[in-house]
Amino acid sequence: MDIVVKGRKTEVPERFRKHVAEKLKLEKIQRLDAKVISLDVEVSKEPNPRQADRSDRVEITLRSRGPVIRAEAAASDPYAALDLAAEKLDARLRKQHDKRFSRRGARRLTAAEVPDHVPGAATLNGNGHTFQDEEPDGVPTKKIGSLEIKGEGPLIVREKTHVASPMTLDQALYEMELVGHDFYLFVDSETKEPSVVYRRHAYDYGVIHLNTDPMVTQAQSPAAGGTLGG
């Protein structure tokens, strides 16, 4: 595996390419992730003189058979930016490595054991397909996750439920970059409400906050209005 170094709207000198090879030790990276496929380093320059202290940006992208890991940093020169990005990459690689290591040894459930351990899980037949029950009207009904689907209804590819600890916006951005996704759902530690951070153009990020509508909450409360009689 080679390290691919490229510039975006800027030239990359040979001296910097050699520095990248010295800074990003492939042997060390492969010890933390033996399934690495490619390692790309992109250098870009911000022409705005007001951002001279962050004019050079380096983004490192590591692709493997697992999630993509990205690390980026900006500084007054590309060498300092590379050092900062390399430190972030190392920290995220170690975190991912420790997470994989901690999961080893945990026994996986067989398909037959899932209904006994997961409430509401769909029951599978011998072919690995969901059982279908016939309704009195002859329309087949199948249960996927928490939904009962009649006929050719919508198909849920995957349903997950996570226990989320409140975190700050910076922590959410870090977690999003760690898993390599374009968005990350989290519980805001300040508002205690669900929020989403997402990747926009270039290096910009966006955030969506959800606030509970008090009018809707009152309308759904049994004490607010009760039931309507015919």
Side-chain angles (χ1 to χ4, degrees):
M1 183 191 69
D2 296 326
I3 302 176
V4 178
V5 183
K6 56 186 177 181
R8 183 160 61 89
K9 297 181 180 180
T10 185
E11 295 292 332
V12 181
E14 187 62 28
R15 177 169 169 264
F16 182 79
R17 296 180 185 271
K18 292 181 180 180
H19 183 67
V20 170
E22 295 173 357
K23 190 68 178 179
L24 301 178
K25 300 292 186 181
L26 290 180
E27 298 82 1
K28 180 180 178 181
I29 293 175
Q30 289 175 330
R31 282 200 303 268
L32 294 174
D33 190 344
K35 299 179 180 180
V36 176
I37 299 174
S38 65
L39 184 62
D40 298 333
V41 178
E42 183 179 272
V43 185
S44 60
K45 193 170 186 66
E46 173 57 55
N48 189 348
R50 295 182 178 179
Q51 298 184 9
D53 59 333
R54 297 174 57 85
S55 60
D56 292 275
R57 182 177 294 274
V58 173
E59 179 179 355
I60 306 173
T61 304
L62 185 148
R63 293 180 174 85
S64 67
R65 296 180 186 177
V68 176
I69 299 179
R70 291 187 178 90
E72 62 183 78
S76 57
D77 65 82
Y79 295 91
L82 175 65
D83 292 347
L84 293 174
E87 291 177 3
K88 291 182 180 180
L89 179 69
D90 183 71
R92 293 171 188 180
L93 270 173
R94 292 183 182 278
K95 182 176 181 179
Q96 193 70 15
H97 176 268
D98 294 342
K99 185 182 295 185
R100 287 196 303 267
F101 184 80
S102 64
R103 289 177 178 175
R104 291 177 184 174
R107 189 178 70 86
R108 294 187 176 182
L109 299 177
T110 64
E113 294 174 317
V114 170
D116 296 331
H117 293 80
V118 182
T123 306
L124 304 179
N125 58 22
N127 297 324
H129 299 294
T130 307
F131 278 123
Q132 293 186 346
D133 300 322
E134 292 291 335
E135 293 291 321
D137 56 4
V139 179
T141 301
K142 57 184 177 182
K143 187 175 181 64
I144 301 179
S146 59
L147 296 181
E148 288 188 358
I149 300 175
K150 289 187 177 183
E152 299 297 327
L155 178 63
I156 298 179
V157 178
R158 178 179 290 182
E159 180 182 9
K160 283 187 174 181
T161 300
H162 295 278
V163 177
S165 300
M167 63 178 63
T168 63
L169 178 59
D170 288 341
Q171 290 175 313
L173 288 172
Y174 174 83
E175 294 293 336
M176 182 183 73
E177 290 294 346
L178 179 63
V179 299
H181 290 171
D182 291 328
F183 68 93
Y184 190 81
L185 176 63
F186 70 104
V187 177
D188 193 295
S189 58
E190 293 185 3
T191 64
K192 302 300 186 292
E193 297 284 355
S195 299
V196 174
V197 290
Y198 61 94
R199 189 186 304 279
R200 299 180 72 246
H201 305 292
Y203 300 103
D204 292 337
Y205 300 99
V207 58
I208 299 174
H209 299 288
L210 297 181
N211 292 326
T212 304
D213 189 338
M215 298 299 294
V216 175
T217 304
Q218 292 178 5
Q220 293 177 347
S221 175
T227 59
L228 297 176

